[in-house]
């Protein structure tokens, strides 16, 4: 983001108007995250999509694209697919999510290629901060240590420091094969966990995997298997061995982005039918009427942790990301009143600690409600430096957002 | 101050005489010298904390320093206290199940991998100076290295830091067991070049050793052909572990040195390309890369699979800077990044700049990332040469900026590149960097005078809104 570009963006004008009249504001993308993060304070939505939804610069040979933050993941995928390239994350939630929202929330994703996170893929940002300044941080190259890292600061700040209006994103060339595979573990869930999870934790192959549970159904193991044909064949056999089945029992669900290919005419850029969701869509789906939590624990505690979650939240579905040690828990609304969630969380800590190995659970809420807890003094100072008037996305500001719970092993 | 610090660390570990301070008046950047007012070397975390708290109590500026291998002048202390961290060398824990290690900042990069190999793990970021540079220094500079193409830079491998802020308070940034919630303050700390405080402990991610590794050496009669081959390889969907380029001047310097690796001395450029991972499929990757090179004018491609052969090829690359010592007593190792597609054009322009200024430019760099290292061997004692070198470097940096690139990919801004910052970023963005710094170091006492020019900071320049 060169020093030569000084244009004041439309969003900057809107933000400056709000600052002048001391009115709170918040970024609005596609509106797919309206339930995120608990109750709203009174803040005017500022539409990023209305002003910044275009491709600014794309040189496929560089595997970097610069887009307006209001562009959706689906739109981006249409552009990159035409060049055999991809943005390596397909986040939970809607394909209509804007990239600005994905960056603002540091959106995680199922089966990210090479264990990449949103923070690894954002190379540069244009942001209107809470003082109304237009900042152009980072750049359009894949390595960059020039100056203090404002890109990392704004990515995952949930819009509390400013509104992202433009992003430069790292792309990847599609590997020759990039398949979604699934194994059904036919044993009862508790037995399957005890058998399979330690092996999954110990495995060393480059195999992004999710262990998934839906109430009333057997446990399933999903994997993203990428590379050339020989490697895909070998990884498939490895996956089967981990699950204790034969390679023929591993379902090949097709190219991981098959739904995009099926629904998008790359030449016209038009979307086809979206009524035929792919298996990947199933993984990414976030029900509206649910509380969604992300919990983490050390890999070494995976078994008692996942067992405790399963035992406690009997009506919830969950996905355990093997490499990151993160678990995404989706609790249906009728089981997700604040009181019942508190009770279940207390039980989770109790069950986990009772099984001996759990040292720590940390969690964040994607949606459902806010959880009171203090944030660090440094966080508060960052907020004060970039949004001194406190007008920027006030509903996401501490103390509502985060909750860290520490459970000591008895 | 000497007495007060001596009472913390012992008299032996505080240096104040000019002769004792002389070894610390430069880092890896030639032509820049600055002498600290004194140098203090804490031997434990507790001593380090006490030292920084004493400096905070007295409002004394300081510069943290690891092995002093930095190439941007970031560890120079000009009349302020230098805190040497190279006695803090303990590997505190290795946790093979969770694949992480907790270390003190003075642990040498290569030692960490050596000590974790027995668990089938290693620390992936591998700067060329990895046999001497420290993890704390790597964190400060967000160091890279040849294998960062696949495995990522230091930031991708640091999970948590215990940080001693300049006011003497301790904070813990990040989370050893996953991406932390809230503002990514660990992400801002890594690469902050010692301006945000001092890491007292660093928890790093360890990654499994690959089952197999194949290293290719492709030689080209045209530099631009090699650059085009790079784009073709990356576009194939293979992510090599490393993809490095060396030009003829560098090849000749290496082959004339004790680090000779068997590179073809008549090649205009060579590519070193490494693929690793599960054994299955590696041969196919090698075939695709070979084809990409041959289709772009490679004269030959050979493949090393035996560890000794691979090590020899890598020795030449990693010791290339040292080999240039045969050419001249000083060496400027520059560090800029350009979009990969601009590599052929930028390399041609760099060659022209060298001719125009009458300096010899040797290129050895991380081609897969577009991370250039134009190196100029020269004699820093010759004022005329020194002026020509700096003029050439300025033109090279501007060329990279004009090509849509940046001024540093892994060495940091330090003192050397601070003058380019306002060419790269506009005033509001530089001011925002200052605001971020003020969260950690409101008095600007940690590594003063580095990274962002003071005139860019409205707060510190006296233009507080």
């Amino acid at each position: 983001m060169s020093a030569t570009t000084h244009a004041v963006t439309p969003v900057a004008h809107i933000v400056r108007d709000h600052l002048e009249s001391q009115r709170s504001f918040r970024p609005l993308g596609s509106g797919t995250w309206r339930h995120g993060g608990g109750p709203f304070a009174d803040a005017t939505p500022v539409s990023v999509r209305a002003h910044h939804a275009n491709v600014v610069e794309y040189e496929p040979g560089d595997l970097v694209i610069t887009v307006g933050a209001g562009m959706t993941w689906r739109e981006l995928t249409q552009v990159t697919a035409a060049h055999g390239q991809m943005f390596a994350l397909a986040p939970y939630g809607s394909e209509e999510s804007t990239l600005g929202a994905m960056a603002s929330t540091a959106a995680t994703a199922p089966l990210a290629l090479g264990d990449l996170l949103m923070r690894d893929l954002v190379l540069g940002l244009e942001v209107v901060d809470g003082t109304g300044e237009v900042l152009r941080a980072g750049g359009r190259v894949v390595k960059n240590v020039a100056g203090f890292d404002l890109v990392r600061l704004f990515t995952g700040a949930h819009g509390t420091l400013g509104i992202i209006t433009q992003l430069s994103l790292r792309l990847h060339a599609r590997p020759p094969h990039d398949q979604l595979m699934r194994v059904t573990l036919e044993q009862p869930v508790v037995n399957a966990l005890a058998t399979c999870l330690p092996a999954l934790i110990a495995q060393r192959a480059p195999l992004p995997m999710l262990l998934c549970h839906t109430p009333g159904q057997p446990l399933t193991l999903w994997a993203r298997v990428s590379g050339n044909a020989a490697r895909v064949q070998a990884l498939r056999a490895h996956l089967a061995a981990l699950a204790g089945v034969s390679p023929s029992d591993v379902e090949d669900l097709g190219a991981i982005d098959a739904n995009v290919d099926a629904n998008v005419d790359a030449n016209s850029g038009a979307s086809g039918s979206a009524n035929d969701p792919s298996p990947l869509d199933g993984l990414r789906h976030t029900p509206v009427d649910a509380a969604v939590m992300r919990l983490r624990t050390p890999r070494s505690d995976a078994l008692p942790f996942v067992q405790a979650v399963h035992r406690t939240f009997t009506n919830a579905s969950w996905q355990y990301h093997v490499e990151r040690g993160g678990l995404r828990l989706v609790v249906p609304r009728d089981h997700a009143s604040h009181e019942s969630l508190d009770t279940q969380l207390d039980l989770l800590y109790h069950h986990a600690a009772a099984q001996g190995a759990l040292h720590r659970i940390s969690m964040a809420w994607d949606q459902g409600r806010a959880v009171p807890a203090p944030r660090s003094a440094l966080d508060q100072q960052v907020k004060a430096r970039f949004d001194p008037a406190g007008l920027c996305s006030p509903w996401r500001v501490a103390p509502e957002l985060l909750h860290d719970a520490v459970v000591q092993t008895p | 101050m000497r007495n007060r610090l001596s009472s913390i660390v012992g008299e032996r570990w505080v240096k104040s005489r000019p002769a004792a301070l002389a070894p610390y008046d430069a880092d890896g950047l030639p032509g820049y010298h600055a002498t600290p007012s004194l140098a203090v070397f804490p031997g434990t975390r507790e001593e380090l904390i006490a030292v920084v708290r004493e400096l905070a109590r007295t409002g004394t500026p300081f510069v943290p320093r690891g092995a002093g291998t930095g190439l941007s002048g970031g560890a120079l202390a000009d009349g302020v206290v230098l805190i040497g961290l190279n006695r803090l060398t303990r590997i505190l824990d290795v946790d093979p199940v969770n694949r992480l290690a907790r270390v003190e900042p003075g642990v040498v990069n290569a030692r960490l991998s050596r000590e974790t190999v027995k668990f089938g793990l290693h620390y992936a970021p591998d700067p060329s100076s990895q046999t001497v540079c420290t993890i704390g220094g790597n964190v400060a500079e967000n160091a890279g290295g040849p294998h960062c193409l696949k495995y990522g830079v230091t930031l991708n491998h640091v999970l948590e830091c215990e940080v001693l802020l300049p006011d003497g308070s301790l904070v813990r940034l990040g989370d050893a067991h996953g991406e932390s919630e809230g503002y990514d303050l660990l992400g801002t700390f890594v690469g902050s070049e010692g301006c945000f405080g001092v890491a007292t402990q660093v928890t790093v991610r360890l990654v499994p050793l690959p089952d197999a590794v194949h290293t290719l050496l492709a030689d080209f009669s045209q530099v631009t052909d090699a650059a085009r081959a790079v784009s073709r390889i990356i576009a194939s969907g293979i992510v090599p572990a490393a993809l490095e380029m060396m030009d003829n001047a560098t090849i000749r310097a290496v082959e004339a040195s004790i680090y000779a690796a068997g590179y073809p001395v008549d090649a205009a450029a060579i590519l070193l390309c490494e693929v690793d991972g599960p054994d299955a499929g590696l041969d196919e990757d090698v075939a695709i890369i070979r084809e990409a090179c041959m289709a772009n004018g490679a004269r030959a491609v050979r493949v090393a699979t035996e560890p000794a052969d691979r090590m020899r090829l890598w020795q030449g690359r990693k010791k290339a800077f040292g080999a240039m010592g045969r050419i001249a007593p000083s060496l400027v190792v520059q560090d800029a990044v350009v979009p990969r597609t601009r590599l052929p054009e930028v390399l041609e322009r760099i060659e022209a700049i060298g001719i125009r200024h009458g300096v010899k430019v040797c290129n050895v760099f991380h081609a897969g990332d577009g991370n250039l290292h134009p190196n100029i061997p020269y004699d820093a004692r010759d004022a005329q040469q020194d002026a020509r070198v700096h003029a050439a470097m300025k033109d090279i940096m501007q060329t990279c900026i004009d090509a849509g690139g940046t001024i540093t990919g892994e060495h940091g801004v330090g003192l050397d590149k601070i003058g380019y910052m306002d060419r790269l970023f506009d005033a509001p963005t530089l001011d925002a960097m200052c605001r971020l710094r003020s969260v950690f170091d409101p008095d600007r006492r940690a590594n003063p005078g580095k990274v962002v020019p003071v005139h860019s900071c409205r707060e510190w320049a006296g233009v507080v809104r």
Side-chain angles (χ1 to χ4, degrees):
Chain A
M1 307 263 160
S2 162
T4 56
T5 52
H6 290 284
V8 175
T9 63
V11 164
H13 283 298
I14 298 170
V15 167
R16 289 174 187 184
D17 283 346
H18 278 75
L19 292 174
E20 199 163 308
S21 57
Q22 290 289 292
R23 286 174 295 141
S24 300
F25 56 92
R26 62 183 172 88
L28 175 67
S30 294
T32 58
W33 238 61
R34 280 169 297 184
H35 303 284
F40 289 101
D42 182 21
T44 311
V46 176
S47 174
V48 178
R49 184 153 172 74
H51 302 287
H52 302 276
N54 56 318
V55 174
V56 177
E57 186 175 350
Y58 181 26
E59 170 50 67
D62 292 330
L63 290 164
V64 173
I65 190 167
T66 301
V67 298
M71 176 172 266
T72 66
W73 180 84
R74 175 185 287 276
E75 290 165 345
L76 173 74
T77 302
Q78 287 172 0
V79 174
T80 57
H83 296 276
Q85 299 180 356
M86 62 185 175
F87 183 59
L89 291 181
Y92 290 109
S94 169
E95 291 179 2
E96 305 307 325
S97 300
T98 62
L99 293 153
M102 286 170 61
S104 291
T105 56
T108 185
L111 302 176
L113 183 77
D115 202 35
L116 294 165
L117 299 169
M118 193 70 194
R119 284 175 169 136
D120 302 318
L121 296 174
V122 181
L123 303 174
L125 288 178
E126 180 187 80
V127 181
V128 183
D129 76 1
T131 72
E133 290 285 12
V134 181
L135 313 179
R136 296 180 177 94
R140 295 193 299 269
V141 285
V142 296
K143 275 172 90 179
N144 189 356
V145 294
F148 304 133
D149 198 338
L150 297 172
V151 176
R152 286 261 168 179
L153 182 69
F154 281 96
T155 305
H158 288 264
T160 59
L161 304 178
I163 298 180
I164 296 172
T165 51
Q166 189 171 298
L167 311 92
S168 293
L169 300 168
R170 180 176 193 165
L171 303 176
H172 285 77
R174 288 180 175 181
H177 298 271
D178 194 11
Q179 308 296 113
L180 188 64
M181 295 192 183
R182 179 173 61 194
V183 185
T184 301
L185 306 171
E186 295 295 352
Q187 308 169 61
V189 172
V190 173
N191 296 355
L193 279 177
T195 311
C196 188
L197 200 45
L200 296 179
I201 293 300
Q203 79 92 28
R204 304 159 57 87
L207 202 52
M209 291 186 294
L210 278 177
L211 196 57
C212 298
H213 173 65
T214 303
Q217 296 181 21
L219 212 54
T220 52
L221 177 63
W222 299 64
R224 182 175 190 167
V225 181
S226 303
N228 56 45
R231 182 166 303 123
V232 164
Q233 193 72 5
L235 289 175
R236 180 182 186 144
H238 180 64
L239 184 64
L242 287 170
V245 300
S246 80
S248 60
D249 291 328
V250 176
E251 292 176 81
D252 187 341
L253 301 166
I256 198 156
D257 53 357
N259 62 320
V260 176
D261 286 340
N263 293 333
V264 175
D265 178 338
N267 294 321
S268 70
S271 291
S273 166
N275 297 325
D276 185 19
S278 74
L280 180 62
D281 284 332
L283 273 189
R284 295 172 51 241
H285 180 61
T286 301
V288 172
D289 293 329
V292 181
M293 287 175 272
R294 283 176 286 142
L295 304 95
R296 285 181 285 113
T297 197
R299 292 158 59 93
S300 52
D301 296 329
L303 183 57
F305 169 66
V306 178
Q307 284 174 328
V309 168
H310 183 69
R311 186 175 167 195
T312 308
F313 291 90
T314 52
N315 292 295
S317 56
W318 50 258
Q319 299 166 326
Y320 179 72
H321 192 288
V322 176
E323 182 62 28
R324 287 186 213 137
L327 188 138
R328 183 170 183 264
L329 184 64
V330 180
V331 185
R333 181 181 280 272
D334 54 339
H335 296 275
S337 71
H338 291 190
E339 294 74 20
S340 69
L341 283 174
D342 284 340
T343 303
Q344 284 177 300
L345 284 170
D346 285 344
L347 261 177
L348 168 63
Y349 297 145
H350 174 77
H351 286 158
Q355 289 177 71
L358 183 67
H359 303 298
R360 176 185 169 92
I361 299 173
S362 68
M363 65 168 57
W365 294 74
D366 274 351
Q367 63 182 44
R369 70 163 187 173
V371 180
R375 294 177 74 168
S376 78
L378 283 179
D379 275 354
Q380 301 284 10
Q381 289 178 44
V382 168
K383 174 71 176 170
R385 296 294 196 284
F386 288 90
D387 179 28
L391 298 174
C392 190
S393 302
W395 80 98
R396 295 293 299 180
V397 181
E400 289 95 350
L401 180 60
L402 298 177
H403 175 68
D404 274 319
V406 177
V407 179
Q408 298 297 335
T409 304
Chain B
M1 178 58 74
R2 183 191 161 87
N3 289 343
R4 286 195 294 270
L5 295 182
S6 293
S7 71
I8 297 168
V9 301
E11 197 162 334
R12 180 183 170 200
W13 298 110
V14 181
K15 318 283 184 193
S16 58
R17 288 183 298 107
L21 291 173
Y24 308 102
D25 81 345
D27 58 10
L29 176 71
Y32 289 81
H33 294 273
T35 306
S37 58
L38 59 81
V40 56
F41 299 88
T44 65
R45 170 179 171 272
E46 288 67 31
E47 287 182 2
L48 172 59
I49 293 168
V51 163
V52 170
R53 287 182 178 165
E54 176 59 25
L55 297 175
R57 194 182 67 76
T58 52
T60 308
F62 63 89
V63 176
R65 179 180 171 116
T69 54
L71 294 164
S72 61
L76 293 184
D78 192 2
V80 301
V81 171
L82 184 145
I83 304 176
L85 300 166
N86 45 346
R87 292 179 65 212
L88 300 171
T89 59
R90 287 187 304 159
I91 295 174
L92 300 164
D93 299 302
V94 176
D95 179 348
V97 177
N98 290 307
R99 294 179 191 163
L100 53 87
R102 192 165 54 96
V103 304
E104 291 187 328
V107 168
V108 168
N109 176 303
R111 181 182 150 222
L112 183 54
S113 283
R114 274 203 310 276
E115 306 236 349
T116 54
V117 158
K118 60 189 169 207
F119 301 110
L121 301 168
H122 75 299
Y123 178 66
D126 60 339
S128 293
S129 57
Q130 72 180 132
T131 53
V132 283
C133 66
T134 62
I135 297 295
N138 293 171
V139 168
E141 302 299 327
N142 194 9
H147 288 83
C148 292
L149 178 60
K150 175 176 178 178
Y151 290 101
V153 293
T154 299
L155 177 56
N156 302 113
H157 296 269
V158 175
L159 301 170
E160 187 176 73
C161 281
E162 183 190 70
V163 175
L164 186 55
L165 297 177
D167 69 359
S169 58
L170 279 168
V171 294
R172 201 164 271 279
L173 305 178
D175 188 312
H177 298 291
E179 191 179 34
S180 62
E181 309 298 338
Y183 300 142
D184 186 5
L185 297 184
L186 177 68
T188 65
F189 177 77
V190 176
S192 61
E193 305 193 28
C195 295
F196 288 7
V198 185
T200 54
Q201 290 178 355
V202 184
T203 303
V204 299
R205 188 161 75 102
L206 303 172
V207 298
L209 292 165
D211 293 345
V213 185
H214 294 183
T215 307
L216 294 87
L217 174 69
D219 76 86
F220 295 82
S221 51
Q222 298 289 332
V223 173
T224 48
D225 286 347
R228 289 189 188 96
V230 168
S231 289
R232 175 92 172 248
I233 292 166
I234 297 292
S236 72
I238 297 169
V239 182
L243 182 47
E244 302 285 299
M245 192 191 294
M246 298 166 73
D247 69 6
N248 182 264
T250 309
I251 293 166
R252 286 183 182 277
V254 169
E255 289 305 306
S257 75
I258 58 170
Y259 309 117
Y263 301 151
V265 291
D266 60 338
I270 59 167
L271 285 182
L272 266 184
C273 185
E274 188 157 281
V275 288
D276 68 6
D279 203 17
L282 273 193
D283 287 340
E284 287 78 358
D285 283 349
V286 166
I288 291 169
I289 293 167
R290 182 194 295 272
E291 165 60 23
C293 292
M294 297 306 289
N296 281 279
R299 299 186 305 182
V301 179
R302 65 181 158 104
V303 184
T305 54
E306 293 302 315
D309 296 339
R310 290 194 304 101
M311 196 175 295
R312 188 162 177 240
L313 290 178
W314 276 112
Q315 175 185 271
R317 164 61 185 89
K318 293 214 167 190
K319 300 296 185 186
F321 301 144
M324 288 175 206
R326 292 178 58 85
I327 301 174
S330 309
L331 178 72
V332 175
V333 181
Q334 267 302 0
D335 170 38
V337 190
V338 297
R340 263 186 301 260
T341 53
R342 305 296 293 273
L343 273 176
E345 159 203 344
V346 169
L347 288 169
E348 282 179 357
R349 289 189 182 185
I350 288 174
E351 187 182 2
I353 289 168
I355 292 168
R356 190 163 70 240
H357 291 282
V359 298
K360 185 183 184 74
V361 184
C362 307
N363 290 294
V364 46
F365 61 97
H366 312 305
D369 292 321
N371 188 180
L372 293 163
H373 291 315
N375 305 309
I376 303 183
Y378 74 113
D379 187 345
R381 297 164 299 187
D382 179 335
Q384 283 191 337
Q385 269 197 56
D386 192 64
R388 289 207 311 275
V389 167
H390 280 90
M393 283 302 176
K394 207 169 174 179
D395 286 355
I396 290 171
M397 286 288 115
Q398 191 61 51
T399 297
C400 294
I401 293 170
D402 293 344
T406 188
I407 56 172
T408 172
E410 56 184 12
H411 294 172
V413 174
L415 199 60
D416 185 43
K417 299 197 183 74
I418 194 166
Y420 302 112
M421 285 294 281
D422 50 14
R423 298 183 190 199
L424 195 62
F425 297 107
D426 58 18
T429 306
L430 290 171
D431 180 61
M433 289 183 193
C434 296
R435 282 186 268 151
L436 176 58
R437 177 179 180 162
S438 71
V439 168
F440 293 87
D441 182 20
D443 300 326
R444 210 176 169 88
R445 289 189 300 105
N447 211 358
K450 308 288 171 55
V451 185
V452 180
V454 175
H455 66 75
S456 300
C457 310
R458 272 171 277 192
E459 267 182 336
W460 283 301
V463 192
V464 181
R465 280 163 294 178

